[in-house]
Amino acid sequence: MRRFVDNALAVTKESVKTFTYESLNNIARLINGVSALLLAILLGKSNILEGAQGWELRPTFHGPRFPRWMENGVSSFNQFIHELSVDSDSSSVDYASAEDEPDEIYRSTPSSPLSDGSGTCRTSTHINHDPHWTNWVAYIFSWILLPARFLLRIPFLLFRLLSSRESKASLDTGSPHPRTFHPFRKVHSSKDHVVQRTIDRRRGVIEDLHLAIEIFIEAIFDMFHKAAYFVFSPFAAFRIFGKWFSSPSAGDKDIDDNVSNASVPTATLGANDPSPRERNLTLHHTLNTDARTCRDVITELGYPYEAIHVITSDGYVILLERLPRRDARKAVFLQHGILDSSMGWVSNGVVGSPAFAAFDQGYDVFLGNFRGLVSREHMDKNISLRQYWRFSINEHGTEDIPAMIEKIHEVKTAELKLSHPNEETNDEQPYKLCAISHSMGGAAMLMYVIIRRIEEKPHRLSRLVLLSPAGFHDETSFLFTVAHYICLLLAPILALFVPALYIPTRFFRMLFNKLVRDFHNYPAVGGLVQTILSYGFGGDSSNWVGVLGLPHYNMNDMPGLSFRVIHHLAQIKRTKKFRMYDFGSKAVNMEVYGSPEPIDLGEYYSLIDIPVDLVAGKKDQIITSSMVKKHYRLMKNSGVDVSYNEFEYGHLDFTFAHHEELLAFMMSRLLLVEPDLKRQSSPKKALKLKKTGQARSGVSSD
């Protein structure tokens, strides 16, 4: 009879699992099919999809292309469970969480003399976030869903209670090797951790539902199986119930402590005392989202890494990352654009990433990061949300870039003095520094060079390579044009309620991360999203879905977009001039710029005293090639040593896509700067400015 019940429960369990699994799959197939139908009737989608690498929608659909180091793919659910059972026996686990790692982990190579002093620990600069309306919404929903959470938790509590009592009973049998029976919740965490560490693949929402349903069904039927066991074995049930009501002995208490605080015996090969030692096991987060950082990508590929935390004059803590060549006399500084990070320069792996290509050419590579992360790192730990996001492109060009370049100069000068102690520098710059910037990073870099020249301070750069630089936005898509006018009209109101654009809570960032994974798993859905985004951005063929899958958009942190940056871009579009931020008050403008109007940077292009290489994309609809040509014409008329080149790229292809011709072009531009040349001269020639009063008053940091 007992065998019959066991077989019936097993068959029923498999039937329920099959039914729910197939039902969920059919829903996902339906969504994918409807997306395919919509994609088939949309006009102009062939140019949009064929322009992005990895999209070939004839005759079948393929998912959006992720970076090479992310193209492991995601297994089906059955293969996922199979790999879990195979890998869980031989997998290693980490014994320290990321939060417990020392600060030295940020450096994979010996630190430089000044990087120790300049580095500010990331954990020490995290601040307490102010209460936000999203927290209140989550709090209200938690109380609304409290009864449902309580009812769903009852089976798990019963299961844990039965499991713990059964483990005590087995320990009382006098076995020389007590069995360690982990509670259900602990086993679940271990499984997820093993999956995350061994295959390192993100799960989408659909896969998470598969896994959750599978585990829930297993728990429910295991509870029924135990109930049947008690019915057919009443004497065993009475013994267990007797154990429940009897007072636990000291030995049982010690055993419970040992079970709850699991430890793993380990031994270090070659240690003086090779006997196994126990180390406490701390599992990573089980939500399986890709939260890799630029450091993780660089070190996994075998390159050296160093992190330097730079503090700006207004208290922001920004991360300057590095692939160090300490004895190199040529360095390159890579600066990202809007809603991006240093991850963009390494996202295509060893072969297709500018950072690795420059390092392989012998350059000391520095990767800059602008202020504007959700984590809000600042020296003032009590800074409010509105105060933190109160910055425009001005601060990127007059605060962030100067702080990073001065830190580069400080570190490089000290390192070269150590490696060449007998060399006489005569206050000359002992290295050559070139800069490669993309989009808004290009506009901020131009602002930096011009303002430093106005203030008669050295900018320390030898060459600029600007990839689709911002600064002129006369031609934009209809969506951007509408957004600009709304921003201009409602700026005072929007600034009060929307200090920045970002995903506010960890839960929604996790959900976003997993949805992007589903766009990859279900290619028709991904293709539809890619097409809609491309329509919104004027037909730009960049791989938008692939970019959204970059791990800097993760549940822990992500780059945000300040409202003042949006307002600044809207002002540039309205005036059709590359100007600094207009504060809306002549008195404030006079205090900051020495003029009632913001400085028109285009009028001061004659101050640029280094070669500039402008690169535009023929398929770029965010910053069109005609807008880059406007930079070129102004620089050419001002006597700047400038070149102009076009490639068949969309806006994001300059950093995200793998194009050998672009890498070859950038490296050829960098090689034009010889490291053994004398330091760039800074002749104190008279600066013929159209607004002499503004120039002499200088531009103070905003």
Side-chain angles (χ1 to χ4, degrees):
M1 184 63 182
R2 179 179 173 183
R3 180 175 297 178
F4 173 78
V5 172
D6 289 343
N7 292 336
L9 287 174
V11 172
T12 306
K13 180 179 69 175
E14 293 302 321
S15 301
V16 173
K17 287 168 61 175
T18 302
F19 175 77
T20 54
Y21 174 72
E22 291 300 327
S23 299
L24 191 60
N25 269 350
N26 288 333
I27 294 173
R29 293 187 190 106
L30 177 62
I31 296 174
N32 197 52
V34 172
S35 300
L37 291 176
L38 294 175
L39 191 61
I41 63 177
L42 287 177
L43 300 176
K45 86 280 185 181
S46 58
N47 293 332
I48 292 173
L49 297 179
E50 290 176 358
Q53 287 189 357
W55 287 89
E56 299 174 359
L57 298 185
R58 292 189 297 267
T60 59
F61 290 100
H62 297 281
R65 176 182 173 272
F66 281 75
R68 292 178 178 272
W69 49 270
M70 293 172 58
E71 285 185 340
N72 295 328
V74 178
S75 62
S76 65
F77 185 70
N78 290 334
Q79 185 178 353
F80 169 80
I81 295 297
H82 171 71
E83 291 182 355
L84 172 63
S85 62
V86 171
D87 294 335
S88 59
D89 294 332
S90 59
S91 300
S92 62
V93 296
D94 287 349
Y95 295 96
S97 64
E99 290 78 9
D100 296 332
E101 293 175 353
D103 187 54
E104 287 77 15
I105 195 67
Y106 285 107
R107 299 190 180 95
S108 298
T109 59
S111 58
S112 62
L114 290 175
S115 58
D116 280 331
S118 62
T120 302
C121 180
R122 177 181 291 268
T123 56
S124 66
T125 58
H126 280 296
I127 60 178
N128 295 326
H129 295 269
D130 297 331
H132 198 262
W133 63 271
T134 53
N135 297 336
W136 287 102
V137 173
Y139 181 74
I140 293 172
F141 271 100
S142 65
W143 277 101
I144 293 175
L145 299 176
L146 182 61
R149 293 172 60 188
F150 178 74
L151 292 175
L152 291 174
R153 194 169 177 80
I154 290 177
F156 295 96
L157 293 175
L158 291 175
F159 177 73
R160 292 184 62 187
L161 184 62
L162 294 175
S163 301
S164 62
R165 294 299 178 181
E166 183 178 343
S167 64
K168 287 184 181 181
S170 63
L171 291 170
D172 288 340
T173 58
S175 174
H177 300 286
R179 181 169 61 96
T180 302
F181 187 88
H182 294 274
F184 172 76
R185 190 173 182 180
K186 196 83 171 182
V187 174
H188 182 201
S189 300
S190 301
K191 283 185 178 181
D192 280 1
H193 175 74
V194 170
V195 171
Q196 188 174 2
R197 295 298 300 170
T198 54
I199 63 177
D200 196 18
R201 297 169 181 171
R202 290 179 296 163
R203 296 191 303 267
V205 175
I206 302 299
E207 287 179 303
D208 270 347
L209 289 176
H210 281 164
L211 184 60
I213 291 173
E214 176 99 4
I215 294 174
F216 180 76
I217 293 174
E218 288 283 351
I220 293 297
F221 277 91
D222 188 73
M223 186 174 61
F224 281 117
H225 185 271
K226 290 181 181 298
Y229 172 77
F230 291 150
V231 170
F232 291 107
S233 302
F235 294 105
F238 285 136
R239 284 199 303 269
I240 293 176
F241 279 110
K243 295 290 184 181
W244 287 3
F245 293 103
S246 62
S247 59
S249 62
D252 291 337
K253 184 176 181 180
D254 294 338
I255 292 172
D256 275 343
D257 292 338
N258 293 333
V259 171
S260 59
N261 299 322
S263 59
V264 178
T266 62
T268 304
L269 184 62
N272 295 330
D273 183 13
S275 58
R277 300 181 301 274
E278 290 188 351
R279 301 177 64 183
N280 291 331
L281 176 63
T282 304
L283 295 177
H284 287 257
H285 209 283
T286 61
L287 295 176
N288 192 247
T289 58
D290 192 351
R292 280 176 289 176
T293 62
C294 188
R295 179 196 68 178
D296 298 326
V297 176
I298 292 172
T299 54
E300 284 173 4
L301 294 174
Y303 283 81
Y305 176 86
E306 182 179 353
I308 305 173
H309 290 81
V310 180
I311 302 175
T312 64
S313 61
D314 53 352
Y316 285 79
V317 180
I318 54 181
L319 180 63
L320 177 63
E321 298 175 283
R322 183 187 185 191
L323 282 72
R325 283 189 183 274
R326 306 191 189 283
D327 57 345
R329 291 188 177 273
K330 52 183 182 179
V332 60
F333 175 60
L334 303 173
Q335 183 56 58
H336 63 79
I338 201 168
L339 283 174
D340 200 357
S341 72
S342 55
M343 182 69 73
W345 302 110
V346 298
S347 60
N348 283 299
V350 175
V351 177
S353 299
F356 298 129
F359 182 85
D360 293 338
Q361 291 291 328
Y363 285 85
D364 194 351
V365 181
F366 292 87
L367 308 175
N369 288 279
F370 282 138
R371 66 182 69 189
L373 292 175
V374 174
S375 56
R376 305 210 311 267
E377 295 189 18
H378 197 277
M379 293 303 295
D380 181 5
K381 297 182 180 180
N382 297 319
I383 190 172
S384 66
L385 178 71
R386 189 169 289 105
Q387 288 175 334
Y388 176 85
W389 292 103
R390 195 178 179 84
F391 61 83
S392 64
I393 304 177
N394 279 23
E395 282 70 28
H396 292 322
T398 62
E399 295 286 349
D400 296 349
I401 292 180
M404 288 186 285
I405 289 183
E406 286 304 310
K407 182 56 64 177
I408 292 173
H409 177 70
E410 191 178 353
V411 171
K412 286 297 297 178
T413 302
E415 289 176 345
L416 291 175
K417 283 183 179 179
L418 286 178
S419 59
H420 303 86
N422 298 325
E423 185 179 73
E424 296 182 1
T425 59
N426 297 324
D427 295 330
E428 292 184 352
Q429 183 172 309
Y431 64 96
K432 293 294 182 179
L433 177 63
C434 300
I436 300 177
S437 303
H438 176 240
S439 190
M440 187 184 69
M445 194 65 67
L446 287 173
M447 183 184 297
Y448 162 74
V449 172
I450 292 171
I451 296 303
R452 299 290 282 194
R453 291 283 290 142
I454 290 176
E455 295 176 345
E456 298 185 350
K457 295 180 180 179
H459 53 68
R460 310 192 187 283
L461 297 174
S462 300
R463 194 177 193 94
L464 287 180
V465 180
L466 306 181
L467 310 175
S468 190
F472 294 105
H473 302 277
D474 306 353
E475 300 176 3
T476 56
S477 66
F478 175 77
L479 180 64
F480 280 174
T481 302
V482 172
H484 286 160
Y485 284 116
I486 291 176
C487 178
L488 291 172
L489 291 174
L490 303 178
I493 300 175
L494 293 175
L496 295 176
F497 297 98
V498 188
L501 298 180
Y502 59 91
I503 303 175
T505 64
R506 297 181 76 251
F507 171 77
F508 286 109
R509 289 196 292 270
M510 176 200 69
L511 186 63
F512 174 82
N513 192 276
K514 290 179 175 295
L515 283 175
V516 173
R517 188 74 238 179
D518 284 328
F519 295 158
H520 181 67
N521 295 341
Y522 299 93
V525 179
L528 182 62
V529 173
Q530 165 76 15
T531 304
I532 293 174
L533 289 176
S534 297
Y535 282 162
F537 294 128
D540 190 281
S541 61
S542 301
N543 189 359
W544 298 99
V545 173
V547 170
L548 294 178
L550 284 176
H552 57 207
Y553 298 108
N554 59 71
M555 64 182 299
N556 299 319
D557 208 353
M558 68 170 287
L561 179 59
S562 167
F563 175 77
R564 276 203 174 187
V565 171
I566 302 174
H567 193 207
H568 195 173
L569 293 173
Q571 292 176 356
I572 291 174
K573 178 176 175 57
R574 180 191 61 186
T575 60
K576 297 184 179 181
K577 295 180 179 180
F578 182 22
R579 305 201 311 173
M580 301 187 75
Y581 184 73
D582 187 353
F583 293 93
S585 170
K586 293 184 178 180
V588 178
N589 287 340
M590 181 66 71
E591 180 183 355
V592 175
Y593 307 120
S595 168
E597 294 294 328
I599 294 178
D600 185 354
L601 297 171
E603 295 182 1
Y604 296 100
Y605 274 179
S606 60
L607 300 180
I608 301 176
D609 58 346
I610 55 176
V612 179
D613 299 295
L614 298 174
V615 182
K618 294 181 179 179
K619 297 181 180 180
D620 190 343
Q621 299 301 320
I622 306 300
I623 300 175
T624 60
S625 58
S626 60
M627 295 296 97
V628 182
K629 287 179 181 177
K630 194 170 182 178
H631 283 288
Y632 174 74
R633 287 193 297 269
L634 285 175
M635 291 183 185
K636 199 71 175 177
N637 295 334
S638 300
V640 180
D641 182 5
V642 60
S643 68
Y644 176 85
N645 291 270
E646 285 186 355
F647 293 90
E648 293 286 340
Y649 299 159
H651 188 68
L652 301 181
D653 294 339
F654 289 104
T655 56
F656 181 72
H658 175 204
H659 294 295
E660 293 182 0
E661 64 269 22
L662 178 62
L663 287 178
F665 171 79
M666 288 192 292
M667 294 304 105
S668 67
R669 298 294 96 183
L670 295 180
L671 292 174
L672 293 177
V673 179
E674 294 293 337
D676 57 346
L677 295 177
K678 292 184 178 181
R679 180 176 64 92
Q680 63 171 24
S681 61
S682 56
K684 297 182 178 179
K685 58 182 180 181
L687 301 179
K688 299 179 180 180
L689 306 179
K690 296 182 180 180
K691 298 181 181 179
T692 307
Q694 297 178 21
R696 293 301 178 186
S697 62
V699 179
S700 61
S701 301
D702 187 10

